[in-house]
Amino acid sequence: PHDSSDPREPPMSQKLTAALTAAKTCPQCDSPDYQFRARKTIPPEPGREHGEVETKYACKPCGHQWKVRVPAG
């Protein structure tokens, strides 16, 4: 397949790793005390080459739960 990605962009695996390991805080209370809950791969939508990886987190102090989706490669 033809790769039309920008050569200045890091490979998808590097972007995925960076996104999943970046410092995170609860979007509701800004606490850094959160817990990993689950991770799953979302299949690509019709006409798209790559799906996404969805990771779920829960904040320990306030109980807020949120999801982070990043492109899968």
Side-chain angles (χ1 to χ4, degrees):
H2 183 297
D3 183 8
S4 62
S5 62
D6 186 334
R8 295 169 293 180
E9 285 287 317
M12 187 61 69
S13 60
Q14 286 180 355
K15 290 195 285 188
L16 176 61
T17 300
L20 295 177
T21 59
K24 298 176 192 72
T25 58
C26 173
Q28 185 166 306
C29 73
D30 290 325
S31 171
D33 191 14
Y34 63 88
Q35 182 176 20
F36 167 85
R37 302 296 294 157
R39 182 171 292 141
K40 68 179 179 178
T41 301
I42 309 296
E45 294 179 14
R48 305 218 44 196
E49 186 177 341
H50 300 288
E52 296 178 305
V53 174
E54 179 181 275
T55 306
K56 295 181 182 181
Y57 300 95
C59 180
K60 291 180 181 179
C62 77
H64 178 71
Q65 296 185 20
W66 72 98
K67 302 174 191 175
V68 175
R69 281 192 177 189
V70 296

